């Protein structure tokens, strides 16, 4: 029989509820108490926008566990509407306040787990606290927003911020028939990914009637009769009936700081690999903790449900002397935006630049499954890798089908320490409705391996934008393709004519070769290099060039 422990958990949802359930499975003797200041102890917060958009019609579907079900199934004491207002580590106690009665109680613990989560950032904008301005963090927030949409029937909403919540709320409100203006301070939405990979998302938003304002900030919000007026940095004002603030989240650490526990360099709760804080009897999990990046070993904040669940399980294991280690976070994520999805894992290019790690990148644009089978949809994949040893550093994918499959495979490859060469050898399921004999993941491995083996040298869009005097742009697309869209000053020799027209090309200059998506450019470079020409191929071809240029315009 295990030692009887009194375990107090501050906060429910993914992290706290996972600790509680795992702790009960490990010990029938432990006394387990959850303190949750909201009304709901365990709910699917990632599903909140989808209920507002009525994709998930049944509100109760989002309630994963109720206090009653956790009590009956797990014998856990769940105290909702009860906020922990202070922690006394020396006395091994907390002070809890009932938010309905105001009554306060002091509760002793053997082990304390903190799962306070992250709160929406409230930017310093006048009017941000007006009644028509909402954030989305919990069921109560969801109910309030849905009530406005259902009962007030606003014609327009302004969504501030183009991250996960901002994008999901934009889609949800468009599905409900509202006109939506999406305001984002950066020059792209989904800031975690690289800009050229997000370009199709911008097009998707505009295709679905979203008024997308990039590089724009909100300067003030004020009432205008029964409506709201949102002033933006362009000098315009947008009238609307609803404002959603989705500019990001920040770890809730006030309670932790007051208790004297260590805070990490990124502003999250500092924990070790066992999810233990600077106090050996206090653990922390979920969105409020600072984690270590799997690829670069740097400290970061990654508020995702999957890591929170795993951290909860690991904390419970260690409480009961089962050595268990959290093996860092690689940031695998996906977001649906109308008919497209964008997913990523590992580090983005901008993160690699910031970290100072050496990298190379390739782009491919395959179909989601065999092109001859109906319904094949285009995808774009970006693979980042170490040019010395081929270690995979990150990947991004955007498309309407098959994005999750490829990102998940690449996430496992990063976790397993695979190289791009080893991607060539992965044996993945294939039938025409589901994939290709050379899956997109294999294909990415082939292209990257060609670079490492020296079969081809790469160039990138900036090289074509501003070529040196000793470089010549060579377009190997067909004449029809060039007539439809071209790059200035590029020489056009279609691939199928190249062998017979080599004499037209200068041998004293480097040729920057490009085609539509990169394949013909690669074939052209193989011909050219074996005939004594210096050349590099534009990875991803004109399609990637267009995406980069769209972002720059």
């Amino acid at each position: 029989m295990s030692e009887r422990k009194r375990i107090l958990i501050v906060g429910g949802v993914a992290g706290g509820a996972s600790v509680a359930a795992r702790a009960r499975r490990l010990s029938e003797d432990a006394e387990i108490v959850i303190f949750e200041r909201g009304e709901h102890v365990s709910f699917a917060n990632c599903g909140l926008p989808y209920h507002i958009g009525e994709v998930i019609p049944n509100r109760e579907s989002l309630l994963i566990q109720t206090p009653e079900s956790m009590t009956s199934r797990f014998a856990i004491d769940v105290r909702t509407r009860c906020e922990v207002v202070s922690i006394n580590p020396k006395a091994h106690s907390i002070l809890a306040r009932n938010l309905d009665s105001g009554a306060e109680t002091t509760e002793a613990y053997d082990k304390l787990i903190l799962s306070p989560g992250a709160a929406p950032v409230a930017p310093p904008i006048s009017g941000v606290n007006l009644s028509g301005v909402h954030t989305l963090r919990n069921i109560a927030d969801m109910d309030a927003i849905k009530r406005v949409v259902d009962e007030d029937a606003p014609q327009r909403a302004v969504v501030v911020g183009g991250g996960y919540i901002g994008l999901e709320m934009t889609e949800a409100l468009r599905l409900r028939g509202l006109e939506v203006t999406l305001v984002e301070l950066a020059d792209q939405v989904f800031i975690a990914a690289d800009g050229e990979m997000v370009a199709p998302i911008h097009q998707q938003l505009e295709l679905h009637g979203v008024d997308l304002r990039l590089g724009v900030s909100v300067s003030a919000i004020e009432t205008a009769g029964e409506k709201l007026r949102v002033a933006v940095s362009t000098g315009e004002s947008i009238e609307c009936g609803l404002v959603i603030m989705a500019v990001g989240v920040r770890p809730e650490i006030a309670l932790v700081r007051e208790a004297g526990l260590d805070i990490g360099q990124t502003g999250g709760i500092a924990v070790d690999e066992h999810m233990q804080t600077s106090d050996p009897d206090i653990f922390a999990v979920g969105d409020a903790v600072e984690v270590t990046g799997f690829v670069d070993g740097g400290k970061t904040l990654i508020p995702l449900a999957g890591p929170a669940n795993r951290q909860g399980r690991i904390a419970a294991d260690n409480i009961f002397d089962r050595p268990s280690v959290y093996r860092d976070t690689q940031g695998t994520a996906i977001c649906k935006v109308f008919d497209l999805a964008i997913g990523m894992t590992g580090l983005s290019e901008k993160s690699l630049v910031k970290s100072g790690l050496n990298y190379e990148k390739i782009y491919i644009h395959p179909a989601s499954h065999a092109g001859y089978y109906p319904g094949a949809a285009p995808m774009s994949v970006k693979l980042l890798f170490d040019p010395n040893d081929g270690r995979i550093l990150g990947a991004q994918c955007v498309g309407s089908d098959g994005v999750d499959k490829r990102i998940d495979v690449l996430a496992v490859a990063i976790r397993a320490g695979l190289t791009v060469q080893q991607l060539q050898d992965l044996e993945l399921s294939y039938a025409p409705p589901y994939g290709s004999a050379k899956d997109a993941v294999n294909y990415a491995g082939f292209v990257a391996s060609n670079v490492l083996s020296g079969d081809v040298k790469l160039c990138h869009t900036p090289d074509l934008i501003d070529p040196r005097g000793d470089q010549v742009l060579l377009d190997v697309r067909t004449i029809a393709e060039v007539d439809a869209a071209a790059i200035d000053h590029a020489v056009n020799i279609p691939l199928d004519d190249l062998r017979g027209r080599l004499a037209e090309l200068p041998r004293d200059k480097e040729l920057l070769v490009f085609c539509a998506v990169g394949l013909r450019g690669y074939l052209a470079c193989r011909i050219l290099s074996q005939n004594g020409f210096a050349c590099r191929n534009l990875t991803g071809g004109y399609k990637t060039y267009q995406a980069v240029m769209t972002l720059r315009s």
Side-chain angles (χ1 to χ4, degrees), residues 200-422:
I201 301 298
H202 295 166
Q203 296 169 353
Q204 184 74 186
L205 289 164
E206 292 171 347
L207 180 66
H208 283 82
V210 176
D211 176 20
L212 180 59
R213 309 287 187 96
L214 297 173
V216 175
S217 62
V218 172
S219 52
I221 305 171
E222 59 185 15
T223 56
E226 295 184 354
K227 294 184 177 182
L228 295 168
R229 183 179 293 120
V230 180
V232 296
S233 55
T234 59
E236 302 170 83
S237 291
I238 306 164
E239 284 200 354
C240 62
L242 173 67
V243 175
I244 305 294
M245 298 300 299
V247 296
V249 295
R250 182 179 294 123
E252 287 215 51
I253 58 169
L255 186 69
V256 180
R257 193 187 298 276
E258 290 169 6
L261 302 179
D262 288 353
I263 304 299
Q265 63 193 50
T266 62
I269 305 170
V271 294
D272 65 11
E273 61 185 1
H274 305 294
M275 308 313 300
Q276 197 169 46
T277 70
S278 53
D279 184 303
D281 291 322
I282 302 178
F283 295 75
V285 301
D287 294 354
V289 304
E290 179 181 80
V291 296
T292 300
F294 181 80
V295 175
D296 65 351
K299 296 299 182 181
T300 187
L301 298 171
I302 301 181
L304 295 171
N309 275 283
R310 293 196 302 279
Q311 291 163 6
R313 181 183 178 92
I314 288 165
D317 281 353
N318 285 293
I319 285 170
F320 288 99
D321 301 320
R322 290 193 175 200
S324 186
V325 171
Y326 182 68
R327 302 188 186 281
D328 303 336
T329 301
Q330 64 193 77
T332 305
I334 191 167
C335 184
K336 177 184 180 297
V337 184
F338 295 104
D339 300 325
L340 288 184
I342 182 166
M344 63 184 299
T345 187
L347 294 183
S348 64
E349 182 175 1
K350 53 193 165 191
S351 295
L352 285 165
V353 170
K354 186 176 180 180
S355 69
L357 292 177
N358 193 22
Y359 70 93
E360 183 56 278
K361 61 183 176 181
I362 60 98
Y363 300 89
I364 60 172
H365 304 285
S368 57
H369 59 249
Y372 57 81
Y373 187 89
M379 293 191 303
S380 293
V381 179
K382 179 177 186 177
L383 186 67
L384 297 141
F385 57 97
D386 188 314
N388 296 313
D389 59 15
R391 181 171 68 103
I392 305 166
L393 304 175
Q396 297 165 46
C397 182
V398 60
S400 61
D401 182 49
V403 171
D404 54 343
K405 171 181 175 179
R406 274 68 186 206
I407 287 298
D408 284 346
V409 171
L410 290 165
V412 173
I414 290 174
R415 178 65 61 170
L418 299 188
T419 65
V420 295
Q421 296 97 324
Q422 290 171 307

Side-chain angles (χ1 to χ4, degrees), residues 486-532:
I487 299 177
D488 290 342
H489 311 302
V491 174
N492 175 225
I493 301 178
L495 174 63
D496 293 343
D497 300 338
L498 184 59
R499 288 185 179 87
R501 297 176 60 180
L502 293 178
E504 300 176 27
L505 296 171
R507 291 184 175 273
D508 60 343
K509 294 187 177 183
E510 182 182 47
L511 302 175
L512 303 183
V513 185
F514 66 95
C515 63
V517 296
L519 175 57
R520 284 173 291 172
Y522 165 67
L523 298 175
C525 277
R526 293 301 300 152
I527 294 169
L528 292 165
S529 62
Q530 292 178 78
N531 279 276

